Amino acid sequence: MAYSSKTRTPSWLLPSSLSSLLLLGSSLAAPVGTLPGWLQAWADINPVTHAMDGARALLTGTPADDSITQTLIWSAVIFTVFCPLAVRAYARKR
């Protein structure tokens, strides 16, 4: 993840903060059912949760439910939103 900033904020701070929020609020470390209620609500809409559940199901041979489909949908949405932004930022710097 990269971003453009005119301030003196360290460049690692924003991507590190965002990835921490995504990883810690997912099913990576614990099943969603064991998380507090407010964190379960975040984990249910977190794209990392769906990716982790899908990968876990594929690796263990268990049913994946709709985790893989949701991961593909999230990937398409993220790609559709951020690719034009990246192309525009790249063209502006040239």
Side-chain angles (χ1 to χ4, degrees):
M1 296 172 77
Y3 72 100
S4 177
S5 174
K6 297 190 184 342
T7 64
R8 300 206 54 152
T9 304
S11 62
W12 56 267
L13 190 59
L14 181 64
S16 177
S17 300
L18 291 175
S19 64
S20 294
L21 287 174
L22 287 173
L23 291 175
L24 294 175
S26 72
S27 65
L28 176 67
V32 174
T34 63
L35 299 174
W38 62 271
L39 196 52
Q40 284 181 11
W42 168 247
D44 287 338
I45 61 169
N46 188 344
V48 176
T49 297
H50 303 298
M52 290 295 114
D53 291 345
R56 189 176 293 116
L58 290 172
L59 290 172
T60 60
T62 57
D65 299 325
D66 63 343
S67 295
I68 296 172
T69 304
Q70 289 183 354
T71 300
L72 293 174
I73 291 169
W74 269 109
S75 298
V77 168
I78 291 169
F79 183 81
T80 303
V81 169
F82 287 104
C83 274
L85 294 174
V87 168
R88 186 181 321 153
Y90 180 73
R92 187 174 52 211
K93 288 193 179 217
R94 287 188 116 203

